[in-house]
Amino acid sequence: MKKLMMAAAIGMTGLLASCNSGSAPDGSANGKINEVRTEYRLNSANGPFIACDNVTGNATGRSRSTQVAVNFTLQGTISNVTLGLKGQDPNKNPQYDNNYTATYTGTQLAAVGNGNYKITFDANSANGAFLPQSIVVNPVAVTVKVVTASGKVGGFYPQLVVNTGSSSFTINNTVLGNVDVYSNCAVTQTTPEEI
């Protein structure tokens, strides 16, 4: 019975680590992804956040990229955080490409208080792929736009690898779901909402 309970506890730990939270094996830190936001909301100011390959009607002139913000909580000793993107192409198995990563240290991790942080990046998936083809770290922040969209090509979610100096752990944002990527979007409204 004791072995069964231990196995169950180990199984639960693995389950938690595969969700939107994780902790270092040596106890040096833990963290959780709280929210993923983009500069585009689908159909209304309260619609889901999405990403777009090609955008028309954007007053800022941004037509080939989507700004993404990942909000997360970290506690403990943090040396750096590497952001990667996992994605799901409707026609393929889940894929992960190490080219879509960026490592953030020090001031690149924007502290928003009480152990909460935000990573902001521009994701460019203009070739119609479900994963961005390039990432621009810490771009100038833009506000949220409402868009109509067509041609869903897949989706992605962030993966964080947290390095504590003595250990590391991974946080996958599977609980909050994918950010859907559409091939074509048209801006219908610009909101004052900050990303």
Side-chain angles (χ1 to χ4, degrees):
M1 183 66 135
K2 194 171 185 182
K3 284 183 181 176
L4 184 60
M5 287 174 65
M6 213 160 119
I10 291 168
M12 287 298 287
T13 302
L15 184 64
L16 287 174
S18 68
C19 299
N20 66 324
S21 62
S23 60
D26 66 357
S28 54
N30 61 67
K32 176 182 178 182
I33 296 175
N34 300 315
E35 185 181 29
V36 180
R37 301 169 58 83
T38 76
E39 70 175 289
Y40 304 118
R41 282 188 182 266
L42 183 61
N43 296 329
S44 77
N46 297 316
F49 290 107
I50 65 168
C52 300
D53 290 338
N54 300 287
V55 183
T56 58
N58 194 341
T60 62
R62 296 166 55 82
S63 61
R64 300 269 180 179
S65 64
T66 300
Q67 195 163 108
V68 181
V70 181
N71 295 294
F72 55 98
T73 303
L74 293 177
Q75 296 176 338
T77 305
I78 311 300
S79 291
N80 59 61
V81 175
T82 299
L83 166 75
L85 296 176
K86 280 195 170 187
Q88 176 67 54
D89 183 324
N91 303 312
K92 301 177 183 175
N93 293 321
Q95 295 184 16
Y96 182 66
D97 189 324
N98 288 325
N99 291 326
Y100 311 118
T101 63
T103 298
Y104 295 73
T105 59
T107 56
Q108 290 178 324
L109 290 172
V112 292
N114 298 322
N116 293 309
Y117 297 88
K118 178 166 74 171
I119 286 177
T120 304
F121 61 94
D122 275 351
N124 187 334
S125 58
N127 71 346
F130 67 96
L131 282 176
Q133 299 306 295
S134 63
I135 292 176
V136 176
V137 176
N138 290 343
V140 175
V142 297
T143 58
V144 174
K145 275 76 68 182
V146 176
V147 297
T148 57
S150 63
K152 184 177 171 183
V153 293
F156 65 83
Y157 64 86
Q159 179 187 71
L160 300 180
V161 178
V162 181
N163 179 10
T164 70
S166 61
S167 186
S168 66
F169 62 98
T170 301
I171 307 172
N172 285 312
N173 177 40
T174 55
V175 171
L176 300 176
N178 281 349
V179 173
D180 289 332
V181 179
Y182 290 84
S183 58
N184 294 293
C185 296
V187 175
T188 59
Q189 176 188 353
T190 299
T191 79
E193 180 183 8
E194 295 182 1
I195 189 169

